[in-house]
Structure formats: structure tokens, C-alpha cells
Amino acid sequence: MANRAGSADLPLHGGRVPKWLSERMARLGAVICQAIAHEYGRDELLSRLANPFWFQSFGAVMGMDWHSSGITTSVIGALKGGLRPLERELGLHVCGGRGRHSRKTPDELVAIGHRVGFDGAALARASRLVAKVDSAAVQDGFELYLHGFIVADDGKWVVVQQGMKGDAKTARRYHWQSAGLASFVETPHAAIEGASQGTIVNLTDARAARSRNAQAVLLGAMGPDAIVREVAQIEGIVEPAPVESDEPMLPHLIMPEHHDIRPKDVMLRRLHGSLAAAADRAPADFTELLLVPGVGARTVRALAQVAEVVHGAPHRFADPGRFAMAHGGKDGHPFPVPLKVYDETIRVLKSAVGKARLGADEELAAIRRLDVQARAMEGAGGPGFHEFIAEERRRSPEYGGRTVMDDAPNAYARAKMRV
């Protein structure tokens, strides 16, 4: 029924996603999903969403803060809004969200099931079980507050949910993907892996079958009040050390607390490959696509990183911070979001995907070649990390750079006038 696909530990990050960014995230997220579905199929898109490293990179390339827990909320929200008009084309539906929206997931699934033909009631049950497994059967100290359920017309699905541990100021994101397993309550996870935080309760382990059965018997024989009294009597007993496990490790992403992106957070040779590919391929492939003087070359650099999000192999997303180099971050790290570049990226991708749907793949193929070229040119060298960031910040006004701290309503217009 379900298979845990991976997890991510993230620093809790307050704040908000401004409307000028959330609307762009919805448009860019939707067109990236269209490109992946066109090139590789809907099942591959679901697999990407189930990968914690790709998911974090996806949020970073859309201008969200590269390391924060807010990527989860904002990406699920962007996909829910951006993919809604494309439901018939992609056969993909995004349900749930944060807080009260998560509690609406079962009803949304039932309604979509009536509309498209899958068993919405069964998927509603799956939604509840996935949430229960990560909140009750596996007790690791994180309280769930977000549950996103992405389901295809054929009933295949991905769940992305997130919990927080307020005292530690951290969040943990859990990724699930539908597969052929028979049980939610016995070994539904491929593994449970993460930074050690002491002994946890894992009632889904195969070795816990006797415990699960005994709990059901006890509840029926004793009732909840008597069980509570028994627990009170044994409180304080030191539990034995956990048994070593030979379970395989799942993809598990641990993001640092620091807001700025540092050289150690980025594989510089891959960033240099993207920059070199953009400089080398732009004259050959993008002359007719990029018509805005002074912005075109910078947009191709952003497209080179978007191309990797569309085409890159899973192992290439070990450094999600690198993808923030495409469109910056709303808090100004690594640099303000360049709105002109962002809008041009969306324009080029929408044009390419739109023409590809009509059978003209030339523009989408040109973007694919950027990714191929970037991998081929990773040894080409390029600017130092700090020099690259400094140049982006220096040219930020030219690109319509904006951050969430800039609350002036006409900031983009003033930036446009300065160019």
C-alpha cells in the first residue's frame, strides 16, 4: 500500500511568503512539473516529489529560503494552486496542506475520486494511516502539522508531511510513495533514519508484532483507565538500549541552521558547469528565445539550473543550496530574488512546454541540452563562490531584486526605472 521514501530534518523558520513570490512559485512549479511529465512521464514526477533532496532543490530553485522548513509549506501550496488548472492535462491532484487544510484531505480525496474514478474512500483511509504511522506508531518527538497528498488519476500517490519539535526548533519532513506493500502497520517504511535523538518508539517494526497484538488484547480486556494506571506504576523504569538494526538507509536530508549559503553548502564544480554551459549554449540555442537586452544571459544561467531540476539524476541533488543560485531567496540569501530573471524563466519554460505539447520540441530540447552541457563542463572552472554572490548582489537592482524585507509596494517598478 505505501512505502516511506525518505525524510529531511530542517530548521524551523518563521515568516511569510509574500504574494509576489507565491504567485511566481505557483507558475514556475507548474511549468517544471509539466516539463517533467512531458519528458519522463507522470510516475517519474511522483518519484521526484517523494525524494527529499529533489524536493528541497525544487523549492530552492523557486526562490524559497534554501534550508528552511518553510519550503515544505510553500511548495505544497504552490503546487496546489499551480497544478489545479492542469488537472485534466496531467491527471494529477494536490490535496491537503497546513493545519486545517490537512484535515480536509480525506474529503478532497473522496470528491476527486467521484470525479475521476478512483476509490477516494480507500485513499482517504491511506491518508489517515500515513499520518497516524508518523505521529503515533513512530514516536520520534515531532508533532505533525502539515499533510500534503498528491494523487494521480490512476490512484498512485505521494504524501509529503511535516512535523515540528518546538523545543529543539527543528522540523522533520516525511516522504511516502505508493508501492506494492501489504501493510501500513508492519514495516511500511523502507527504513527510518535520521540524526540520533535518543530511544524512539517504532511500533511498525516487524519485531513489534507481539506488542501490537498485546496492546489490542489489553485494551479490550482492561479498558483505557486501567492501562493508564499500569503505565503510571512503571513510569521511570529505564528502558533497554535499542537493538541494532540492519535496515537499509533511506535518503535523509539534514539542513544546517545558518541562513547564509556557505561554500561548503555548494558543490562549486557543478555550479561552474551550469555557468559554463549557459555561456557556451546561449548563443547557439537561445538567440530567438531571449529578447530582453541585458537580462537574457542571466536568464539562461537560471534556466541551466532549472534544466537540472527537470533532467538531473537523483544523486545530483545532494547540495540543495546550489539551486538557490538560480533565483536567490526571499530573505536575501544568497541574494535577493531577481524578479525580471524569474519572470523571463517562466516565460521561456511556458513557451517551450506549450510548443512541445503541439509536437514542436525544439525549445524544450534546447533546455535539455543545457543540462547535458553543464555536466560535461563541470571541470571548466569559474568564479569563486564569494565573488559570484557579490556580483549577483551588485547587479540585483538591475534584475529587479526583491526580498521579503522590502515592504515598499512599488519596489519592482522603482528597480525597473533604475535600469
Side-chain angles (χ1 to χ4, degrees), residues 2-225:
N3 190 21
R4 180 84 161 275
S7 55
D9 283 0
L10 312 159
L12 275 176
H13 200 168
R16 62 185 180 87
V17 182
K19 187 176 181 180
W20 55 261
L21 179 59
S22 62
E23 291 178 346
R24 287 175 169 87
M25 287 184 68
R27 296 200 298 271
L28 182 57
V31 75
I32 288 175
C33 288
Q34 281 181 293
I36 294 171
H38 177 83
E39 294 275 354
Y40 301 107
R42 189 174 61 197
D43 287 356
E44 174 62 19
L45 175 56
L46 290 173
S47 294
R48 303 278 185 96
L49 292 167
N51 184 300
F53 289 86
W54 185 89
F55 191 95
Q56 195 77 14
S57 302
F58 184 44
V61 87
M62 290 195 287
M64 263 303 291
D65 303 315
W66 68 287
H67 71 143
S68 80
S69 59
I71 272 186
T72 314
T73 306
S74 59
V75 169
I76 293 297
L79 292 181
K80 192 164 187 176
L83 294 183
R84 188 175 294 116
L86 304 174
E87 285 182 346
R88 288 193 176 184
E89 175 192 335
L90 297 181
L92 209 60
H93 315 269
V94 183
C95 306
R98 181 173 180 166
R100 59 185 177 85
H101 298 290
S102 68
R103 294 187 288 275
K104 296 178 181 177
T105 306
D107 292 338
E108 290 181 275
L109 288 167
V110 170
I112 295 168
H114 286 317
R115 195 165 68 244
V116 304
F118 57 62
D119 189 343
L123 290 181
R125 181 174 181 271
S127 168
R128 294 188 184 97
L129 282 169
V130 167
K132 284 293 185 182
V133 166
D134 282 341
S135 62
V138 178
Q139 298 176 28
D140 55 4
F142 290 84
E143 183 179 353
L144 293 184
Y145 67 94
L146 179 147
H147 178 87
F149 199 108
I150 301 102
V151 60
D153 282 353
D154 59 6
K156 296 176 182 176
W157 52 266
V158 164
V159 168
V160 179
Q161 54 189 6
Q162 187 157 287
M164 72 168 68
K165 185 182 283 189
D167 54 346
K169 296 183 178 179
T170 55
R172 176 167 289 176
R173 187 171 68 235
Y174 308 88
H175 294 252
W176 291 69
Q177 185 173 11
S178 59
L181 299 185
S183 173
F184 279 94
V185 296
E186 180 161 325
T187 323
H189 309 86
I192 299 175
E193 190 275 336
S196 175
Q197 300 189 44
T199 302
I200 70 168
V201 176
N202 179 13
L203 293 175
T204 68
D205 193 295
R207 294 165 295 185
R210 290 178 62 189
S211 174
R212 291 194 302 271
N213 294 335
Q215 288 177 51
V217 171
L218 281 173
L219 185 60
M222 298 176 61
D225 292 341

